[in-house]
Amino acid sequence: MITSALLGVQVANGLAVGALYALMAFGLSIIKGLLNVPNFAHGALFLVGAYVAWAVSGGSGSFWLGLLAAAAATALLGMAIERLLVRRLHRGAYLFQLLLLFGTALVMEQTVIAIWGGLGRSMSPPPWLTGAVDLGFSPFPRYLLFIVVAAAVVIAAVWALIERTWIGARIRAGIERPEMAQSLGIDVEALVTAAFALGAGLAGLAGALAAPLTGLSVTMGTDMLAIALVVVVLGGLGSIYGGVLAGLLVGVVQSLAALWVPQASTVVIYAAMILVLAVRPQGLLGER
Amino acid sequence: MTAPLLSVSRLVMNFGGHRAVDGVSLDIDSGKLVCILGPNGAGKTTLFNLLTKDLRPTSGSIRFDGSDVTALPPHAVARLGIGRSYQITSIFPAWSVEDNVWIAAYRHAHGGRLVFGRRAAFYRAVAPRIAGLLDLVGLTKLRGVSAGALSYGDQRLLEIAITLATGPRLILLDEPTSGLSQEETGRVGGLIRTLAASTTVVMIEHKMDVVMEISDRLVVMDRGRVIADGSPAAVAADAAVKAAYFGT
Amino acid sequence: MTRSRMVGLGVLAGSILVAPALLSFSTASELLIFGLAAAAAYPVIGVGGLFSFGQAALFGIGGYTGGWLMAHAALPLLWPLLAGAAAAGLFATAMGAMCVRRSSIYFIMLTFAFNQLVYYAIYSWRGVTGGQDGLADIARPARLLPYLPGVNLDRPVNFYVLVAVIVFGCFLLLLRIVDSPLGRVLDAAKQNARRAAAIGYDIHRAQTLAFALSGVFSGIAGVLYAMLYWIMPIDAVAWVNSGNLVFMVLIGGLGSIFGAPIGAAVFILLQDSLSLVWDRWPLLFGLIVIGVVLFLQGGVLELGGMLRPALRRASGADAP
Ligand SMILES: Nc1ncnc2c1ncn2[C@@H]1O[C@H](COP(=O)(O)OP(=O)(O)OP(=O)(O)O)[C@@H](O)[C@H]1O
Ligand SMILES: [Mg+2]
């Protein structure tokens, strides 16, 4: 029996998971925009973020410190990956860049296992985020609401950074017209590093937010990467924000599908994606 | 009076808000050598891209040899017999000169069939044709050299050989002499004259001496429109052309 | 056939004969099976320049289809082999048709998504596939072809001979494909897609066909793999395995299909020896991937090419 309360909780759950997808896709799109390569290490950064948040908040007792540490650590890692590795390859050498990121992802994942062990962990949200708020027609678990709000705030902040500031104008110029940006004397190299750090930080933050929701496991990064890439494709060619919309959509669809076909909810989203792309090859918000 | 080989009617191409080709109508008769000229950005290359379907027109129609080709993909119009060279040299840089011509000659001889049971080397029957074409463009000595390593002028000649190897009935050449030396320009000019004797050639060209000397007909474009069309002498005397092209 | 092809095939045949003397039959079989899977990826990745991250799905579809038949019906090997090849070939055709129209980066992401679709489908369809535990109870068929006397494939040496014959035969076919007009058109489209279309080639069709063929041979490799350990593990379909296959093609050398089996050998041996050293061997492996990408982009074949002049010089200096 599917009650409205159950439906409500599933939608809430879907929105929260979707908000995480949106964060991931947003970061991927920023990196893809400047580097023109799907960041295969994005899932590993998500994983690192989750474990750092777990370790730091467990050690310090502060949930906020955990979030902050996760975002900062992954942003730094992203910066290092770009500076020390990706930069050494020619732009446009896709296969090599992909394999490089693939190798980097392996190293990060295995390092996490080497440090914290291969067993799953659980992390509870801080006490003030347990329980649920009643929205009238349905309860909305507090922590889920927190994820949605946190993701919205962060995405809005990054949006403001990109659309409203001097740095953002440069990032956009770098994404849309790299040659022109170069000829205007914009330091594209520095932008790429900044974008990579930003995208990586978003992935780490998403991991940290996910930890209390889904628990921690060493495969969480790979699973997340796969879905995030799908979300970016669904969002649309050349559209940074399409992924945000697609992320929420995928989260809700997946969560609702779990009501009817509990085992196959993940298959449903991949099938849906292929269907959507067959009908609308440019994705939801992409331009032809 | 026979039907024209190529017939373009009210062709329009918009890039976002910019109209690069603005209602062009043209008939090209078989066996003629037509030159298209016009200032930078006039829409000449875009017109070629529309003819070869590298771009889909916003509106208008294209008929080739009596059939409507407006909705066909690039490879289909190529098979019907429209061949082209690009303004920016377009060859297969990793292959030898000979292999570059082979891939085009094989397509012509075997209709683009994607055979995978036999080695490519089996299809030797096109060898004499390749030799003939390399001889025609003067690249026989360089046939084993990697195309990417050729001089710029030789690459342009190779591209013409590739285009010819597909056996086109209409040849579109986009500034074939640009960037060539005096001597190379002379060679290409001679080559084009030879071609024009047996096929139909439309070429975009800036060098007035070449244009005036070899063409049967001149078409002048400006801002996406045809502003003059006629014999070389008549067009050269046209006031509108002088204004647009020579800025006087 | 050119001289270098003959030499290559000779070396390959020789290695197949010698391998069991140096390795266990099962390791040698695994090496050949992955050699075929990598060679099957070569027309798409190496010749076509299409960086498919969906190869594990093709391998897996072949393995699960063939494996399921072998687990449930006592058929001659021919049928599971054909079924696996056909299923993977069909899926590859559909995947190719949808993906080849995309620009490179979306192509990569889409092939990847197809891989995940297959992975989760297999993962969720427990009743048939065994889900997370893999498809177990696969029996090696008692006969190869209908109406022929039986062969005991459970004897490691027999199984190795079977794998060797099939892999070598498939490799010859793949070599043919690479050298065929189709192979040339794929290469042309990789170098200059616009030009290839302008001379009249339907490049999307050629690329889809390459995918289909790649699917067929990946599927065959998958069926052999399902027999190898009598189980089809779901890890074989994971995207990491797609990455591994791409890496095998790359580490062997993108310039020649002979690089694919070399790459597979390097990969499997590396994996086996690293896993003896340390539980966290994928970490070392990741570092090796990074090292190869940064310093040895031409792969092992290029390394050989770089060493050859040096060797010649050394041996020349010794001569009187
Ligand atoms: N793919 C495109 N997207 C957007 N604008 C384009 C595109 N191709 C051409 N244009 C624009 O269309 C106009 C016509 O360009 P086109 O290349 O056809 O000119 P042209 O006559 O060949 O000039 P040139 O003599 O410099 O070769 C130009 O303003 C150009 O910027
Ligand atoms: Mg032009």
Side-chain angles (χ1 to χ4, degrees):
Chain A
M1 185 61 212
I2 295 166
T3 63
S4 80
L6 183 55
L7 214 58
V9 170
Q10 280 310 100
V11 170
N13 195 55
L15 283 175
V17 173
L20 297 176
Y21 293 163
L23 274 178
M24 289 294 286
F26 197 42
L28 268 177
S29 301
I30 292 173
I31 293 175
K32 192 214 65 169
L34 274 169
L35 214 58
N36 209 17
V37 64
N39 178 17
F40 273 5
H42 219 62
L45 289 163
F46 176 83
L47 174 74
V48 170
Y51 273 85
V52 167
W54 170 79
V56 170
S57 67
S60 69
S62 162
F63 174 70
W64 291 109
L65 202 58
L67 287 189
L68 200 68
T74 48
L76 278 176
L77 256 177
M79 194 178 281
I81 293 170
E82 201 282 323
R83 277 269 141 132
L84 302 178
L85 301 173
V86 177
R87 172 153 307 180
R88 290 162 173 264
L89 298 176
H90 286 299
R91 287 260 226 142
Y94 296 113
L95 188 58
F96 297 117
Q97 290 179 332
L98 285 171
L99 278 171
L100 185 69
L101 292 165
F102 172 75
T104 312
L106 274 182
V107 171
M108 283 195 283
E109 269 175 23
Q110 294 297 321
T111 307
V112 166
I113 300 176
I115 297 177
W116 287 295
L119 295 176
R121 308 275 171 175
S122 66
M123 173 175 168
S124 37
W128 56 276
L129 282 176
T130 51
V133 248
D134 197 352
L135 296 181
F137 55 92
S138 126
F140 203 121
R142 277 220 174 91
Y143 189 68
L144 297 186
L145 193 60
F146 173 75
I147 291 182
V148 175
V149 172
V153 168
V154 169
I155 290 173
V158 176
W159 172 84
L161 176 80
I162 292 180
E163 297 290 337
R164 292 279 183 271
T165 68
W166 171 85
I167 289 194
R170 276 151 196 251
I171 291 186
R172 257 181 303 136
I175 292 178
E176 282 152 22
R177 301 232 143 71
E179 337 68 42
M180 191 183 284
Q182 203 116 45
S183 66
L184 287 176
I186 295 177
D187 184 353
V188 177
E189 303 264 280
L191 278 183
V192 171
T193 311
F196 214 105
L198 182 61
L202 289 174
L205 183 66
L209 288 170
L213 179 69
T214 60
L216 296 97
S217 77
V218 290
T219 58
M220 67 192 288
T222 309
D223 297 345
M224 182 46 115
L225 170 68
I227 295 181
L229 286 174
V230 168
V231 166
V232 171
V233 177
L234 259 183
L237 296 145
S239 152
I240 305 187
Y241 304 110
V244 175
L245 176 70
L248 290 173
L249 222 64
V250 167
V252 173
V253 168
Q254 186 182 16
S255 196
L256 290 178
L259 282 179
W260 286 280
V261 276
Q263 305 85 17
S265 63
T266 314
V267 181
V268 169
I269 60 167
Y270 284 102
M273 173 204 74
I274 288 167
L275 220 77
V276 169
L277 290 178
V279 180
R280 209 181 141 77
Q282 69 273 40
L284 295 174
L285 294 190
E287 310 150 21
R288 256 271 76 146
Chain B
M1 169 95 210
T2 52
L5 180 65
L6 178 77
S7 177
V8 173
S9 125
R10 292 195 299 279
L11 210 54
V12 173
M13 183 70 214
N14 288 339
F15 291 117
H18 178 66
R19 184 162 283 202
V21 169
D22 186 4
V24 168
S25 296
L26 264 184
D27 283 349
I28 308 275
D29 291 324
S30 239
K32 289 287 191 301
L33 199 171
V34 180
C35 275
I36 298 181
L37 54 166
N40 291 109
K44 307 177 298 287
T45 298
T46 305
L47 176 62
F48 270 20
N49 286 340
L50 292 172
L51 295 180
T52 55
K53 315 307 305 184
D54 283 11
L55 292 173
R56 272 166 182 272
T58 308
S59 68
S61 74
I62 305 164
R63 296 181 72 80
F64 178 68
D65 199 19
S67 57
D68 191 335
V69 300
T70 319
L72 295 183
H75 65 88
V77 289
R79 287 181 193 185
L80 285 176
I82 301 182
R84 80 174 289 185
S85 73
Y86 287 88
Q87 183 166 0
I88 297 166
T89 313
S90 178
I91 54 177
F92 303 110
W95 282 346
S96 71
V97 166
E98 208 164 20
D99 286 351
N100 266 268
V101 183
W102 180 86
I103 191 86
Y106 170 79
R107 209 285 298 150
H108 178 58
H110 297 273
R113 266 189 314 136
L114 298 169
V115 185
F116 54 84
R118 273 203 167 123
R119 269 174 287 123
F122 177 83
Y123 299 90
R124 280 277 160 73
V126 288
R129 229 173 95 71
I130 297 172
L133 285 165
L134 289 180
D135 195 39
L136 184 69
V137 297
L139 289 178
T140 306
K141 280 212 193 81
L142 298 173
R143 64 178 176 270
V145 176
S146 156
L150 292 178
S151 71
Y152 177 77
D154 286 336
Q155 287 187 348
R156 301 225 50 128
L157 285 165
L158 173 60
E159 189 175 1
I160 294 179
I162 293 172
T163 307
L164 295 181
T166 62
R169 285 180 294 154
L170 172 64
I171 302 172
L172 308 175
L173 301 173
D174 197 343
E175 305 196 17
T177 68
S178 80
L180 298 191
S181 68
Q182 194 82 38
E183 186 266 324
E184 287 168 326
T185 302
R187 242 164 83 202
V188 172
L191 177 60
I192 292 170
R193 232 178 323 208
T194 321
L195 295 178
S198 55
T199 48
T200 311
V201 179
V202 178
M203 68 183 231
I204 296 171
E205 187 51 78
H206 281 302
K207 290 184 182 154
M208 282 313 281
D209 46 342
V210 180
V211 170
M212 297 307 282
E213 194 188 320
I214 66 178
S215 53
D216 297 318
R217 173 181 162 198
L218 289 189
V219 174
V220 185
M221 287 184 68
D222 186 27
R223 277 172 254 171
R225 292 167 181 272
V226 173
I227 58 163
D229 186 347
S231 71
V235 169
D238 191 300
V241 174
K242 282 192 179 137
Y245 202 71
F246 304 102
T248 52
Chain C
M1 178 140 321
T2 63
R3 229 190 116 101
S4 62
R5 290 277 195 258
M6 293 300 274
V7 172
L9 284 175
V11 171
L12 183 64
S15 315
I16 291 177
L17 289 177
V18 173
L22 306 171
L23 307 163
S24 71
F25 277 119
S26 69
T27 304
S29 303
E30 181 167 3
L31 208 148
L32 285 182
I33 291 168
F34 276 99
L36 176 58
Y42 186 78
V44 172
I45 296 172
V47 186
L50 299 162
F51 305 144
S52 161
F53 276 76
Q55 294 301 121
L58 307 179
F59 183 79
I61 288 176
Y64 273 93
T65 308
W68 188 88
L69 276 177
M70 289 186 283
H72 291 87
L75 296 169
L77 176 65
L78 178 68
W79 304 122
L81 210 53
L82 281 183
L90 282 175
F91 185 81
T93 311
M95 172 165 116
M98 265 195 81
C99 297
V100 295
R101 280 160 207 285
R102 308 289 138 169
S103 62
S104 51
I105 179 168
Y106 283 91
F107 174 86
I108 293 163
M109 290 157 93
L110 259 181
T111 52
F112 179 93
F114 270 98
N115 198 98
Q116 291 311 106
L117 171 73
V118 172
Y119 178 86
Y120 284 110
I122 290 173
Y123 184 91
S124 314
W125 202 6
R126 283 193 129 256
V128 172
T129 62
Q132 211 173 352
D133 305 329
L135 177 62
D137 301 327
I138 294 171
R140 293 182 186 171
R143 269 183 303 166
L144 302 183
L145 298 167
Y147 312 116
L148 287 191
V151 186
N152 181 8
L153 286 181
D154 285 329
R155 275 192 66 200
V157 58
N158 290 355
F159 184 68
Y160 181 73
V161 171
L162 174 81
V163 169
V165 169
I166 293 180
V167 168
F168 194 76
C170 289
F171 190 83
L172 284 179
L173 292 173
L174 281 162
L175 189 60
R176 247 312 158 70
I177 291 167
V178 167
D179 284 343
S180 74
L182 172 67
R184 303 252 90 189
V185 173
L186 289 171
D187 192 346
K190 170 178 66 180
Q191 291 180 55
N192 189 343
R194 212 171 172 205
R195 177 38 90 190
I199 57 179
Y201 287 109
D202 186 346
I203 57 178
H204 292 318
R205 223 181 121 227
Q207 290 168 337
T208 306
L209 193 55
F211 254 103
L213 293 167
S214 174
V216 167
F217 290 104
S218 306
I220 292 175
V223 178
L224 295 176
Y225 189 65
M227 287 195 279
L228 178 62
Y229 299 117
W230 297 273
I231 181 173
M232 190 65 199
I234 192 158
D235 284 352
V237 198
W239 84 282
V240 174
N241 199 32
S242 279
N244 290 344
L245 283 166
V246 172
F247 181 67
M248 288 179 208
V249 173
L250 180 80
I251 196 179
L254 275 175
S256 162
I257 190 171
F258 285 98
I262 298 177
V266 170
F267 179 88
I268 303 275
L269 297 177
L270 208 60
Q271 178 177 323
D272 284 4
S273 48
L274 290 181
S275 61
L276 289 180
V277 180
W278 192 24
D279 273 0
R280 300 270 63 78
W281 67 269
L283 197 156
L284 301 178
F285 176 66
L287 291 175
I288 291 174
V289 172
I290 294 173
V292 168
V293 169
L294 291 181
F295 304 113
L296 191 65
Q297 295 196 348
V300 173
L301 283 181
E302 185 188 79
L303 188 65
M306 290 187 315
L307 292 180
R308 205 178 304 145
L311 289 176
R312 198 172 302 144
R313 228 174 297 128
S315 61
D318 289 344

PDB file of all heavy atoms in Angstrom, chain A residues 143-159:
ATOM      1  N   TYR A 143      17.361  15.781   8.167  1.00  0.00           N
ATOM      2  CA  TYR A 143      18.671  15.734   7.513  1.00  0.00           C
ATOM      3  C   TYR A 143      18.530  15.829   5.994  1.00  0.00           C
ATOM      4  O   TYR A 143      19.339  16.455   5.328  1.00  0.00           O
ATOM      5  CB  TYR A 143      19.459  14.467   7.906  1.00  0.00           C
ATOM      6  CG  TYR A 143      20.872  14.561   7.390  1.00  0.00           C
ATOM      7  CD1 TYR A 143      21.751  15.506   7.926  1.00  0.00           C
ATOM      8  CD2 TYR A 143      21.310  13.782   6.324  1.00  0.00           C
ATOM      9  CE1 TYR A 143      23.024  15.666   7.425  1.00  0.00           C
ATOM     10  CE2 TYR A 143      22.586  13.931   5.814  1.00  0.00           C
ATOM     11  CZ  TYR A 143      23.442  14.875   6.372  1.00  0.00           C
ATOM     12  OH  TYR A 143      24.699  15.037   5.865  1.00  0.00           O
ATOM     13  N   LEU A 144      17.453  15.229   5.472  1.00  0.00           N
ATOM     14  CA  LEU A 144      17.228  15.332   4.023  1.00  0.00           C
ATOM     15  C   LEU A 144      17.010  16.780   3.623  1.00  0.00           C
ATOM     16  O   LEU A 144      17.547  17.270   2.631  1.00  0.00           O
ATOM     17  CB  LEU A 144      16.012  14.487   3.610  1.00  0.00           C
ATOM     18  CG  LEU A 144      16.123  12.986   3.848  1.00  0.00           C
ATOM     19  CD1 LEU A 144      14.916  12.271   3.272  1.00  0.00           C
ATOM     20  CD2 LEU A 144      17.393  12.431   3.240  1.00  0.00           C
ATOM     21  N   LEU A 145      16.203  17.467   4.455  1.00  0.00           N
ATOM     22  CA  LEU A 145      15.947  18.877   4.187  1.00  0.00           C
ATOM     23  C   LEU A 145      17.255  19.662   4.219  1.00  0.00           C
ATOM     24  O   LEU A 145      17.514  20.526   3.377  1.00  0.00           O
ATOM     25  CB  LEU A 145      14.969  19.418   5.231  1.00  0.00           C
ATOM     26  CG  LEU A 145      14.347  20.774   4.927  1.00  0.00           C
ATOM     27  CD1 LEU A 145      13.557  20.695   3.628  1.00  0.00           C
ATOM     28  CD2 LEU A 145      13.438  21.223   6.069  1.00  0.00           C
ATOM     29  N   PHE A 146      18.093  19.301   5.192  1.00  0.00           N
ATOM     30  CA  PHE A 146      19.387  19.987   5.314  1.00  0.00           C
ATOM     31  C   PHE A 146      20.215  19.804   4.033  1.00  0.00           C
ATOM     32  O   PHE A 146      20.830  20.754   3.538  1.00  0.00           O
ATOM     33  CB  PHE A 146      20.154  19.451   6.523  1.00  0.00           C
ATOM     34  CG  PHE A 146      21.550  19.987   6.612  1.00  0.00           C
ATOM     35  CD1 PHE A 146      21.779  21.292   7.024  1.00  0.00           C
ATOM     36  CD2 PHE A 146      22.645  19.195   6.269  1.00  0.00           C
ATOM     37  CE1 PHE A 146      23.070  21.803   7.094  1.00  0.00           C
ATOM     38  CE2 PHE A 146      23.931  19.690   6.338  1.00  0.00           C
ATOM     39  CZ  PHE A 146      24.148  20.999   6.750  1.00  0.00           C
ATOM     40  N   ILE A 147      20.226  18.587   3.509  1.00  0.00           N
ATOM     41  CA  ILE A 147      21.004  18.335   2.285  1.00  0.00           C
ATOM     42  C   ILE A 147      20.500  19.215   1.147  1.00  0.00           C
ATOM     43  O   ILE A 147      21.272  19.869   0.444  1.00  0.00           O
ATOM     44  CB  ILE A 147      20.914  16.853   1.861  1.00  0.00           C
ATOM     45  CG1 ILE A 147      21.662  15.983   2.860  1.00  0.00           C
ATOM     46  CG2 ILE A 147      21.502  16.659   0.463  1.00  0.00           C
ATOM     47  CD1 ILE A 147      21.661  14.512   2.480  1.00  0.00           C
ATOM     48  N   VAL A 148      19.176  19.237   0.993  1.00  0.00           N
ATOM     49  CA  VAL A 148      18.604  20.013  -0.098  1.00  0.00           C
ATOM     50  C   VAL A 148      18.976  21.489   0.055  1.00  0.00           C
ATOM     51  O   VAL A 148      19.436  22.135  -0.896  1.00  0.00           O
ATOM     52  CB  VAL A 148      17.066  19.843  -0.149  1.00  0.00           C
ATOM     53  CG1 VAL A 148      16.467  20.747  -1.219  1.00  0.00           C
ATOM     54  CG2 VAL A 148      16.707  18.392  -0.430  1.00  0.00           C
ATOM     55  N   VAL A 149      18.800  21.999   1.272  1.00  0.00           N
ATOM     56  CA  VAL A 149      19.091  23.420   1.486  1.00  0.00           C
ATOM     57  C   VAL A 149      20.580  23.697   1.292  1.00  0.00           C
ATOM     58  O   VAL A 149      20.968  24.655   0.615  1.00  0.00           O
ATOM     59  CB  VAL A 149      18.633  23.853   2.894  1.00  0.00           C
ATOM     60  CG1 VAL A 149      19.113  25.271   3.205  1.00  0.00           C
ATOM     61  CG2 VAL A 149      17.119  23.764   3.002  1.00  0.00           C
ATOM     62  N   ALA A 150      21.419  22.834   1.859  1.00  0.00           N
ATOM     63  CA  ALA A 150      22.860  23.056   1.752  1.00  0.00           C
ATOM     64  C   ALA A 150      23.283  23.045   0.283  1.00  0.00           C
ATOM     65  O   ALA A 150      24.037  23.916  -0.165  1.00  0.00           O
ATOM     66  CB  ALA A 150      23.619  21.983   2.533  1.00  0.00           C
ATOM     67  N   ALA A 151      22.781  22.061  -0.467  1.00  0.00           N
ATOM     68  CA  ALA A 151      23.155  21.980  -1.880  1.00  0.00           C
ATOM     69  C   ALA A 151      22.671  23.223  -2.620  1.00  0.00           C
ATOM     70  O   ALA A 151      23.395  23.807  -3.431  1.00  0.00           O
ATOM     71  CB  ALA A 151      22.578  20.719  -2.518  1.00  0.00           C
ATOM     72  N   ALA A 152      21.431  23.651  -2.293  1.00  0.00           N
ATOM     73  CA  ALA A 152      20.892  24.830  -2.971  1.00  0.00           C
ATOM     74  C   ALA A 152      21.746  26.056  -2.679  1.00  0.00           C
ATOM     75  O   ALA A 152      22.073  26.832  -3.588  1.00  0.00           O
ATOM     76  CB  ALA A 152      19.443  25.069  -2.530  1.00  0.00           C
ATOM     77  N   VAL A 153      22.133  26.204  -1.406  1.00  0.00           N
ATOM     78  CA  VAL A 153      22.941  27.376  -1.039  1.00  0.00           C
ATOM     79  C   VAL A 153      24.283  27.343  -1.762  1.00  0.00           C
ATOM     80  O   VAL A 153      24.731  28.342  -2.332  1.00  0.00           O
ATOM     81  CB  VAL A 153      23.147  27.421   0.496  1.00  0.00           C
ATOM     82  CG1 VAL A 153      24.218  28.444   0.864  1.00  0.00           C
ATOM     83  CG2 VAL A 153      21.827  27.722   1.189  1.00  0.00           C
ATOM     84  N   VAL A 154      24.916  26.171  -1.765  1.00  0.00           N
ATOM     85  CA  VAL A 154      26.233  26.074  -2.384  1.00  0.00           C
ATOM     86  C   VAL A 154      26.141  26.317  -3.890  1.00  0.00           C
ATOM     87  O   VAL A 154      26.941  27.056  -4.466  1.00  0.00           O
ATOM     88  CB  VAL A 154      26.867  24.694  -2.098  1.00  0.00           C
ATOM     89  CG1 VAL A 154      28.107  24.489  -2.953  1.00  0.00           C
ATOM     90  CG2 VAL A 154      27.208  24.589  -0.627  1.00  0.00           C
ATOM     91  N   ILE A 155      25.147  25.701  -4.514  1.00  0.00           N
ATOM     92  CA  ILE A 155      25.009  25.891  -5.959  1.00  0.00           C
ATOM     93  C   ILE A 155      24.715  27.345  -6.281  1.00  0.00           C
ATOM     94  O   ILE A 155      25.296  27.923  -7.211  1.00  0.00           O
ATOM     95  CB  ILE A 155      23.907  24.960  -6.535  1.00  0.00           C
ATOM     96  CG1 ILE A 155      24.402  23.516  -6.492  1.00  0.00           C
ATOM     97  CG2 ILE A 155      23.546  25.350  -7.966  1.00  0.00           C
ATOM     98  CD1 ILE A 155      23.371  22.483  -6.868  1.00  0.00           C
ATOM     99  N   ALA A 156      23.856  27.979  -5.443  1.00  0.00           N
ATOM    100  CA  ALA A 156      23.562  29.392  -5.672  1.00  0.00           C
ATOM    101  C   ALA A 156      24.823  30.225  -5.506  1.00  0.00           C
ATOM    102  O   ALA A 156      25.084  31.148  -6.287  1.00  0.00           O
ATOM    103  CB  ALA A 156      22.477  29.866  -4.706  1.00  0.00           C
ATOM    104  N   ALA A 157      25.630  29.885  -4.509  1.00  0.00           N
ATOM    105  CA  ALA A 157      26.857  30.651  -4.284  1.00  0.00           C
ATOM    106  C   ALA A 157      27.799  30.503  -5.471  1.00  0.00           C
ATOM    107  O   ALA A 157      28.383  31.478  -5.953  1.00  0.00           O
ATOM    108  CB  ALA A 157      27.534  30.178  -2.997  1.00  0.00           C
ATOM    109  N   VAL A 158      27.955  29.272  -5.956  1.00  0.00           N
ATOM    110  CA  VAL A 158      28.853  29.066  -7.096  1.00  0.00           C
ATOM    111  C   VAL A 158      28.275  29.745  -8.334  1.00  0.00           C
ATOM    112  O   VAL A 158      29.008  30.325  -9.134  1.00  0.00           O
ATOM    113  CB  VAL A 158      29.091  27.565  -7.347  1.00  0.00           C
ATOM    114  CG1 VAL A 158      29.940  27.359  -8.593  1.00  0.00           C
ATOM    115  CG2 VAL A 158      29.776  26.941  -6.147  1.00  0.00           C
ATOM    116  N   TRP A 159      26.949  29.677  -8.445  1.00  0.00           N
ATOM    117  CA  TRP A 159      26.305  30.365  -9.564  1.00  0.00           C
ATOM    118  C   TRP A 159      26.642  31.854  -9.513  1.00  0.00           C
ATOM    119  O   TRP A 159      27.028  32.445 -10.515  1.00  0.00           O
ATOM    120  CB  TRP A 159      24.786  30.163  -9.501  1.00  0.00           C
ATOM    121  CG  TRP A 159      24.030  30.994 -10.497  1.00  0.00           C
ATOM    122  CD1 TRP A 159      23.793  30.679 -11.793  1.00  0.00           C
ATOM    123  CD2 TRP A 159      23.449  32.274 -10.264  1.00  0.00           C
ATOM    124  NE1 TRP A 159      23.091  31.689 -12.399  1.00  0.00           N
ATOM    125  CE2 TRP A 159      22.863  32.688 -11.485  1.00  0.00           C
ATOM    126  CE3 TRP A 159      23.365  33.128  -9.159  1.00  0.00           C
ATOM    127  CZ2 TRP A 159      22.201  33.900 -11.629  1.00  0.00           C
ATOM    128  CZ3 TRP A 159      22.708  34.341  -9.303  1.00  0.00           C
ATOM    129  CH2 TRP A 159      22.137  34.712 -10.507  1.00  0.00           C
TER     130      TRP A 159
END
